[in-house]
Amino acid sequence: MSDRPVPSCVDATKPSIARVYDAFLGGADNYEVDREVVSSVLRTAPEAADLAVENRRFLIRACRYLAEHAGITQFLDCGSGLPTAENTHTVVQGVNPDSRVVYVDNDPLVLAHSRALLDRDESTVIVSENIFEPETLLRNDVVRSRLDWNAPIALLHMGTLHHCNDEHARPRQDIMRSYIDALPPGSYVAISHFLDPEDEYSTTARKMEEVFLHSMMGSGTFSTAAEIRKLFNGLELIAPGLVRCVDWLPEGPGPERLNAAQRCIAGAVAVKR
């Protein structure tokens, strides 16, 4: 793969979480520095690309559930990443064309691609904010005006919180509490996160974590189920609760045997009563 010309707004000397994720999914919107991160992780766990694949599949199923079964028509997608074949707005607007989606990211390439994609979509918009600074994000004029904060909203944090590097300065649970406190009753929260399964696959999880943390990307923490559950701050988890992403309301028979990566990413959806 040869790199295309680098846009002036993009620093191709440093890996981007969004571009690394794109590279894991086999996309074309990434650079050599991003692929180096992917290669180093794959040397530790050859199946690691399934972290991205299962995260994406969980996002699609969760969005479809929220739109079809929970009747949610407003979505705040934090850390939306580069556009792929099925995005949050295409899934939920396929169920209800009146659904509104606000994407949030601060990666220049994500912003450029998304704005071009959404140029004529009046129901979907992307804003540039730091998703780990909820107070600032929630005061954003577009976030406030595009969503009705008196009606239920679905907050999506898919594959984001394990990239929060300021855990000691501000715990991820505290970040999520700020989001959850701002949500109206009847809202939903969906989270996916790298998982330390606390079994024979823990060693692989921690090896992948070591590679992520010591790569130029510098983030990617694997947490236990108990640690991930705390991110919901006591909200009521929707059945089947916090499980491996591959096991969350699968739409057909799952794989007969899960590989290490499929065992090392979990997700859940919760409701605020």
Side-chain angles (χ1 to χ4, degrees):
M1 180 184 294
S2 60
D3 287 326
R4 292 171 292 176
V6 180
S8 59
C9 62
V10 173
D11 184 355
T13 67
K14 298 179 181 179
S16 148
I17 293 170
R19 298 194 316 257
V20 168
Y21 184 60
D22 178 72
F24 268 122
L25 289 172
D29 294 311
N30 52 79
Y31 300 101
E32 183 60 32
V33 67
D34 307 302
R35 298 190 288 273
E36 287 176 5
V37 174
V38 172
S39 295
S40 63
V41 176
L42 292 178
R43 284 194 292 270
T44 298
E47 315 98 329
D50 280 332
L51 289 171
V53 171
E54 296 303 340
N55 181 69
R56 196 72 193 180
R57 289 173 176 169
F58 171 66
L59 164 69
I60 293 168
R61 295 197 306 277
C63 285
R64 190 169 292 124
Y65 170 87
L66 290 167
E68 286 184 351
H69 300 286
I72 299 296
T73 59
Q74 303 189 104
F75 295 78
L76 180 59
D77 188 344
C78 296
S80 52
L82 285 157
T84 61
E86 286 190 274
N87 301 290
T88 298
H89 73 284
T90 55
V91 174
V92 302
Q93 289 170 4
V95 176
N96 186 338
D98 294 328
S99 295
R100 285 173 285 170
V101 178
V102 175
Y103 291 117
V104 185
D105 213 300
N106 60 0
D107 184 295
L109 195 60
V110 171
L111 295 169
H113 277 256
S114 298
R115 283 168 178 160
L117 176 69
L118 302 172
D119 183 47
R120 298 185 180 181
D121 187 338
E122 296 182 357
S123 299
T124 311
V125 67
I126 186 166
V127 298
S128 176
E129 292 287 358
N130 185 339
I131 62 172
F132 301 135
E133 297 179 1
E135 289 82 7
T136 301
L137 188 160
L138 292 169
R139 288 196 302 267
N140 181 284
D141 289 341
V142 175
V143 173
R144 299 305 305 178
S145 63
R146 287 298 188 104
L147 301 175
D148 178 359
W149 289 84
N150 294 310
I153 295 169
L155 171 69
L156 311 179
H157 259 279
M158 301 296 200
T160 58
L161 294 165
H162 48 236
H163 292 297
C164 180
N165 282 333
D166 297 323
E167 180 76 8
H168 296 296
R170 185 175 188 184
R172 293 167 297 163
Q173 186 177 359
D174 180 50
I175 291 172
M176 287 305 301
R177 184 180 298 112
S178 293
Y179 279 112
I180 292 168
D181 286 348
L183 292 173
S187 294
Y188 287 77
V189 176
I191 297 173
S192 61
H193 198 291
F194 291 159
L195 172 70
D196 175 353
E198 298 183 281
D199 57 20
E200 65 269 29
Y201 293 92
S202 287
T203 300
T204 300
R206 293 306 176 184
K207 284 181 179 178
M208 288 191 287
E209 177 182 70
E210 190 76 6
V211 174
F212 277 125
L213 293 178
H214 290 88
S215 70
M216 290 181 66
M217 191 170 69
S219 64
T221 302
F222 286 67
S223 297
T224 66
E227 291 168 334
I228 298 171
R229 198 171 287 111
K230 288 180 181 178
L231 300 176
F232 290 93
N233 283 275
L235 294 184
E236 177 187 337
L237 297 182
I238 301 301
L242 178 67
V243 296
R244 294 173 299 207
C245 285
V246 70
D247 295 326
W248 196 89
L249 299 185
E251 295 177 338
E256 292 184 5
R257 186 174 183 274
L258 301 182
N259 63 39
Q262 290 169 322
R263 295 174 182 271
C264 292
I265 184 164
V269 176
V271 62
K272 180 178 180 179
R273 298 296 186 187

